[in-house]
Amino acid sequence: NDTATTEIYTQAFVGSVRCVQETGIIMKPVKGDIPIHTEGFWDMNAKVYHSLSEPYSAIAGFQLALQTKVDKAKTVLETACGSGCNSFQMVQLLKPGSTLCCSDFSQEMLKYMSSRYAVSDFCKNPNNSFELVPECIGQINPADKEILGKRVRAFKADNQNLPFINESFDAYISALSLHLVPSPTTMLSEAYRVLKKGGMAGFAVPGIEKESTYFTFFQNKVAKYAEEYKVELPKSRSMFYLGEDEAGLVKMIKDSGFTKVKLTHQTAILPLTTEEFMSEKKPRIEKIMKLFPEGCEKKFREELESEVEKTFVIGNELITVNILSVSYTHLTLPTKAQVQISVVAVSL
């Protein structure tokens, strides 16, 4: 009944069609749910992400910054920048006179990013500046004097339709976003388009599911409940579908024109308290419990909280996320150039 809601569900429909076309998997949402690949979802969850979830994404992002040698770059792009945790640490690596452009399609995320820089000492340095560009008109050239050397610029933009001219960045980074977008091939193509010849790109996606207790502990609990109450859970694309098919991921990257691919796994340990774990999972609990009989949610919360306390706080297990980092080079060679696994990526 209003423009904003209509736009959210239009995005959801278009995204779901792309997902079916590429994977054959129908992303069936829970009634009343806003799909994860939409701006509305991240606007709604920006506060929780900013306060609890972003650090493990920043761990992956900083690793990508090192792998793509942003310290040598003049122009760097980070897409799906969230509330700016990774950009804030990555900008310290940049050489004088270089510029970090960040983009995210969530306006709420970008507001948190602006606040992060506003309360820091970053802009007290006369050589530093931060600017949020809420609306992009036309194609942007990072080499323009209004942007180049201005340190950090944030743009509201979709990873699958970037507002930058061709071959405009020396390095491109996106941590834990490729597996979420409806069309990862479109996102890869856009990364290739805006990256200069010889430039380096880096992505991070969830890696090995069994080594990611942050996700599997909750999922397994929900699955047991569904079996107990004979509830059919909606089928959806696994967040590990890219990370656990390394050959398929490499082929997808190769088909986009990149080569010299390096895959590395790292496990991030999340020192969450029981309260923080439950707070982060609150939106998902509220969503999934709509499928269960009335009164189940309270019991589920109590059992989950007790099990988290026993397993991770009192017990010896760790809350972990296994992350697969992927870095590769934009070549001047044809797209059929050989892909090399586990070789340090270098610009040609």
Side-chain angles (χ1 to χ4, degrees):
N1 296 326
D2 63 83
T3 304
T5 302
T6 301
E7 176 62 22
I8 286 172
Y9 282 96
T10 299
Q11 292 174 26
F13 174 75
V14 173
S16 296
V17 170
R18 284 181 179 174
C19 181
V20 173
Q21 289 172 337
E22 294 203 9
T23 68
I25 299 173
I26 299 175
M27 293 192 291
K28 180 182 176 183
V30 177
K31 184 178 180 181
D33 181 31
I34 300 176
I36 195 170
H37 59 271
T38 61
E39 176 185 345
F41 176 91
W42 293 103
D43 279 346
M44 183 174 64
N45 291 283
K47 183 177 181 180
V48 171
Y49 178 84
H50 172 68
S51 59
L52 294 175
S53 304
E54 191 170 33
Y56 75 82
S57 178
I59 292 171
F62 194 71
Q63 179 72 15
L64 292 175
L66 297 175
Q67 290 179 352
T68 55
K69 300 182 180 179
V70 299
D71 58 317
K72 308 294 184 185
K74 196 170 185 178
T75 53
V76 179
L77 174 62
E78 181 191 17
T79 64
C81 63
S83 57
C85 184
N86 183 52
S87 76
F88 194 74
Q89 60 181 355
M90 181 167 56
V91 73
Q92 314 301 325
L93 298 174
L94 301 187
K95 62 184 180 182
S98 60
T99 295
L100 171 61
C101 291
C102 304
S103 69
D104 201 288
F105 70 173
S106 167
Q107 192 66 50
E108 291 301 309
M109 287 288 195
L110 293 173
K111 287 179 181 178
Y112 279 109
M113 184 179 190
S114 296
S115 299
R116 183 189 299 277
Y117 280 90
V119 301
S120 72
D121 292 333
F122 178 78
C123 292
K124 292 180 181 179
N125 184 329
N127 296 319
N128 292 339
S129 63
F130 172 85
E131 180 184 354
L132 171 61
V133 182
E135 185 177 2
C136 300
I137 301 175
Q139 290 279 288
I140 298 167
N141 184 357
D144 286 348
K145 61 181 180 180
E146 292 82 8
I147 299 177
L148 188 62
K150 298 296 179 65
R151 225 46 184 159
V152 182
R153 290 292 177 271
F155 301 86
K156 186 178 186 299
D158 187 334
N159 301 350
Q160 299 170 108
N161 186 22
L162 296 170
F164 305 105
I165 65 170
N166 295 351
E167 300 183 19
S168 50
F169 293 96
D170 300 306
Y172 173 109
I173 288 172
S174 192
L176 299 177
S177 173
L178 187 65
H179 65 293
L180 295 176
V181 297
S183 175
T185 57
T186 301
M187 184 172 168
L188 287 168
S189 296
E190 275 293 271
Y192 187 86
R193 180 183 68 79
V194 301
L195 199 60
K196 294 178 183 178
K197 294 292 190 296
M200 298 176 68
F203 287 81
V205 297
I208 303 171
E209 184 171 5
K210 66 181 181 180
E211 294 183 15
S212 302
T213 57
Y214 177 70
F215 298 114
T216 57
F217 191 84
F218 177 78
Q219 293 169 350
N220 292 340
K221 180 65 177 176
V222 171
K224 289 179 181 178
Y225 245 60
E227 184 178 354
E228 179 182 346
Y229 288 95
K230 294 179 172 52
V231 170
E232 183 179 355
L233 297 174
K235 297 184 184 301
S236 61
R237 189 175 65 181
S238 167
M239 68 176 64
F240 298 92
Y241 84 104
L242 291 176
E244 295 203 322
D245 179 15
E246 294 186 10
L249 180 57
V250 169
K251 183 180 184 305
M252 186 185 296
I253 294 167
K254 177 181 177 181
D255 290 345
S256 297
F258 292 100
T259 192
K260 290 203 171 180
V261 180
K262 179 181 179 181
L263 305 179
T264 57
H265 282 272
Q266 62 181 133
T267 299
I269 298 174
L270 309 182
L272 298 175
T273 64
T274 301
E275 183 180 2
E276 289 170 337
F277 185 95
M278 294 299 296
S279 178
E280 197 279 332
K281 298 299 181 187
K282 181 180 177 182
R284 297 187 65 192
I285 294 172
E286 292 175 347
K287 178 180 73 174
I288 205 70
M289 283 296 116
K290 292 177 183 177
L291 299 171
F292 289 80
E294 188 175 350
C296 282
E297 183 174 338
K298 183 175 184 296
K299 179 187 174 189
F300 180 86
R301 285 179 185 276
E302 291 174 350
E303 290 183 6
L304 179 63
E305 183 172 356
S306 175
E307 290 173 21
V308 168
E309 183 77 15
K310 291 177 182 177
T311 304
F312 300 113
V313 179
I314 299 174
N316 294 321
E317 290 195 37
L318 297 171
I319 301 177
T320 59
V321 175
N322 183 270
I323 300 165
L324 174 62
S325 296
V326 190
S327 57
Y328 35 86
T329 307
H330 184 313
L331 285 179
T332 55
L333 300 178
T335 58
K336 296 297 183 180
Q338 182 182 2
V339 174
Q340 301 178 45
I341 308 301
S342 300
V343 177
V344 176
V346 294
S347 300
L348 295 185

